[in-house]
Amino acid sequence: MSVTHLDAAGGVAPLRGGMLWLAAVVLAAANFIAVLDMTIANVSVPNIAGSLGISSSQGTWVITSYAVAEAIVVPLTGWLAGRFGAVRVFTSAMALFGLCSALCGMSNSLGMLVVGRVMQGLSGGSLMPLSQTLLLRIFPKEKAAAATALWAMTTLVAPVVGPILGGWLCDSYAWPVIFFINVPLALLCAPIARRMLRRYETPLVQSPIDKFGLVLMIVFITALQLMLDLGKEHDWFESTAICLLAIVAALGFAAFLIWELTERYPIVDLRVFRHRGFAASVVTLSLGFGAVFGVNVLTPLWLQSYMGYTASWAGLTTAWSGVLAVAAAPIAGMLIARVDPRRLIFGGLLWLAAVTALRAVATTDMTYWQIAVPLILMGGGLPFFFVPLTALALGSVEEHETASAAGLQNFLRTLSGAVATSLVTTLWEDRTAYRHEELAGLADRGGDTALALARSGLSPDAVRHMLDSMVQGQSVMLATNQLMVLVAFVFAASACVIWLARRPTRAVDMTQVGH
């Protein structure tokens, strides 16, 4: 039996002082671990792959499975909160997140780990929007900016901490620990949050759910992701299975579009795309975030697999991109009210394009700081891309559509990260194989290097292995540089797309975001 806390006027008594900030910390912690688990596994993929006896490309399923599951749940969060109550859904999702993290840590096969990550993503998908919603609910309206800043800070800091923490835990202990650390935090915070926040429980709404639309969404997203993840192992469209997955994904997507545009209570309200500003913003976000996420996945793989970095050092190197981002975020926030957000987004994306283009001239003998400095500079453009883009997208729709637009925006952002991960790793492997074949016919044509190695006392097999390693290293470097050029082009293209949007006609009420 629940106890209702009333104030003197008969309304719900708000939390105050230390209790208010304790509740805020619990909510922020939930968002932190959900975002953290999007990046903590990035530097751990080589360790996981080696431990489970799988390839690095198969290891990236650990990243994509989590992202796809999150993408599926984000549009459902509003319905779940209305049907069962926001506080109940939030606390249940947090407890489930802890249990699924334990399952991931205990996994002894790729299949078991992917199942655990899918379940983790299904629970984490609700934590992010509901943590923001409840933060704005418990804080007085005059302190909504402080609540939003706290939530945004955890969203910015978690991706920075993820690679560092993941690398250190892998090197000092073992990869399962990156999942076990969530367990005590989630299982401790869930009952505390339930007790403190139950006075803020939302009234239940018996709204219908678009079951058929949900099934279509799951079918086309799953088929698309399986096609991207398995294609490189089955020679793409030479495989009947890959062709069937492509057909299912295409037909499922077409059916999903038709159904959602005609359904009275759609799972995803596609009608918001009638607003040109929102459509342009979401395309820009999908391209830009996909590029950022793809680079963040590729960098630690390259450093650990071919540059001799440990997981800890790869994490420390990758995390530099978040340092300047955290410092620049308040500046971007202040400029939104003074500068056309399209100019900020355009400038931020062009900055990212320029820095990524600088990374396209990397060599295998680069020092730590030669690698780290471009990553530091890259962080300077991130807030000017992400922060004003949200304001522009949500300011382009009608006020009553804000919640639907925010859910759709988060859905496409998360999905683009999963798709980008598969595309980047696939292109990286394909271009590496192509360059290896090309360089193998050019390397040491005169046999001088092989002769010198043989004279040093190496056996013929050792000479061949060393030459092949040299060719492979250069092939990977060339493939990585080519991908950086491609990513720079994607950043530049997304910067141009934003000018298709009109300047927003209204300011966004942040209390409506994340519902």
Side-chain angles (χ1 to χ4, degrees):
M1 183 177 179
S2 62
V3 179
T4 303
H5 300 265
L6 302 177
D7 60 14
V12 177
L15 294 170
R16 290 188 174 88
M19 294 297 288
L20 174 63
W21 285 104
L22 177 59
V25 168
V26 169
L27 290 169
N31 183 60
F32 181 83
I33 60 174
V35 178
L36 179 78
D37 268 53
M38 294 178 68
T39 59
I40 196 171
N42 287 6
V43 297
S44 312
V45 167
N47 297 70
I48 294 172
S51 174
L52 299 180
I54 57 176
S55 66
S56 292
S57 61
Q58 288 176 314
T60 58
W61 291 12
V62 177
I63 301 170
T64 58
S65 57
Y66 182 84
V68 167
E70 268 195 342
I72 290 171
V73 168
V74 165
L76 280 174
T77 302
W79 179 85
L80 289 170
R83 180 67 179 80
F84 302 104
V87 175
R88 190 175 292 109
V89 172
F90 173 79
T91 52
S92 299
M94 181 176 270
L96 184 61
F97 190 88
L99 294 174
C100 295
S101 296
L103 176 63
C104 291
M106 293 186 291
S107 298
N108 55 13
S109 68
L110 177 62
M112 184 177 176
L113 180 56
V114 168
V115 168
R117 285 289 278 174
V118 167
M119 294 175 66
Q120 217 186 11
L122 292 175
S123 52
S126 295
L127 288 180
M128 290 187 288
L130 285 180
S131 62
Q132 184 180 21
T133 298
L134 291 171
L135 266 173
L136 292 168
R137 185 178 294 275
I138 68 173
F139 274 78
K141 279 202 170 185
E142 61 271 17
K143 294 184 178 178
T148 302
L150 177 62
W151 186 86
M153 190 55 65
T154 60
T155 305
L156 284 171
V157 171
V160 179
V161 175
I164 299 173
L165 186 60
W168 176 70
L169 290 174
C170 279
D171 285 342
S172 301
Y173 302 98
W175 68 262
V177 183
I178 69 174
F179 300 114
F180 285 138
I181 60 170
N182 293 326
V183 178
L185 183 62
L187 297 184
L188 178 65
C189 287
I192 294 175
R194 175 64 181 159
R195 183 171 182 82
M196 296 183 69
L197 301 176
R198 57 187 176 183
R199 68 184 71 181
Y200 293 98
E201 186 60 279
T202 54
L204 303 186
V205 180
Q206 298 295 329
S207 58
I209 184 172
D210 178 16
K211 297 177 183 176
F212 191 66
L214 175 61
V215 170
L216 288 174
M217 182 176 72
I218 293 173
V219 167
F220 96 76
I221 290 176
T222 303
L224 174 65
Q225 197 61 47
L226 285 174
M227 182 193 77
L228 293 173
D229 285 340
L230 297 174
K232 50 185 171 287
E233 300 172 19
H234 294 80
D235 201 18
W236 289 103
F237 296 107
E238 297 298 320
S239 166
T240 303
I242 298 301
C243 290
L244 288 175
L245 285 171
I247 293 171
V248 170
L251 293 178
F253 179 65
F256 176 75
L257 286 180
I258 295 170
W259 180 267
E260 292 300 284
L261 289 172
T262 56
E263 169 64 20
R264 185 177 180 185
Y265 300 102
I267 194 79
V268 176
D269 187 6
L270 299 178
R271 297 178 186 90
V272 294
F273 277 109
R274 74 184 187 279
H275 301 288
R276 195 175 79 185
F278 178 78
S281 298
V282 167
V283 172
T284 301
L285 176 66
S286 299
L287 290 173
F289 184 81
V292 171
F293 205 84
V295 168
N296 286 344
V297 169
L298 178 61
T299 299
L301 278 175
W302 166 59
L303 291 176
Q304 290 180 80
S305 301
Y306 297 99
M307 295 295 285
Y309 280 54
T310 63
S312 295
W313 278 104
L316 286 168
T317 308
T318 307
W320 278 115
S321 61
V323 174
L324 199 54
V326 173
I331 301 173
M334 288 188 296
L335 288 175
I336 290 177
R338 305 176 185 178
V339 181
D340 184 342
R342 296 171 301 176
R343 293 181 182 275
L344 295 177
I345 298 163
F346 182 74
L349 286 168
L350 281 189
W351 177 263
L352 292 173
V355 175
T356 306
L358 287 177
R359 297 184 62 188
V361 293
T363 63
T364 53
D365 58 354
M366 293 178 73
T367 65
Y368 175 83
W369 287 110
Q370 286 176 322
I371 296 172
V373 167
L375 291 172
I376 297 172
L377 295 175
M378 194 168 184
L382 292 175
F384 296 95
F385 160 41
F386 285 120
V387 177
L389 192 59
T390 298
L392 177 61
L394 302 184
S396 300
V397 303
E398 296 176 18
E399 192 165 352
H400 69 275
E401 296 174 317
T402 302
S404 296
L408 184 56
Q409 186 183 31
N410 287 325
F411 163 69
L412 290 173
R413 174 183 56 79
T414 308
L415 182 62
S416 68
V419 171
T421 298
S422 294
L423 288 175
V424 164
T425 52
T426 297
L427 288 172
W428 191 47
E429 291 187 2
D430 288 349
R431 298 311 299 172
T432 297
Y434 174 79
R435 287 297 183 181
H436 187 280
E437 183 178 345
E438 189 176 54
L439 292 179
L442 299 174
D444 197 32
R445 281 184 170 182
D448 296 336
T449 304
L451 183 62
L453 291 172
R455 286 175 176 173
S456 68
L458 294 177
S459 66
D461 286 341
V463 169
R464 282 193 295 271
H465 177 74
M466 184 168 289
L467 287 174
D468 186 69
S469 295
M470 293 167 61
V471 170
Q472 179 67 7
Q474 293 302 317
S475 301
V476 168
M477 194 69 264
L478 288 171
T480 304
N481 289 345
Q482 280 187 314
L483 274 179
M484 291 301 168
V485 171
L486 178 61
V487 170
F489 175 79
V490 172
F491 278 131
S494 61
C496 296
V497 170
I498 199 58
W499 290 111
L500 296 175
R502 295 187 180 95
R503 189 166 185 169
T505 55
R506 67 180 182 87
V508 182
D509 180 5
M510 291 307 295
T511 62
Q512 298 300 314
V513 180
H515 286 222

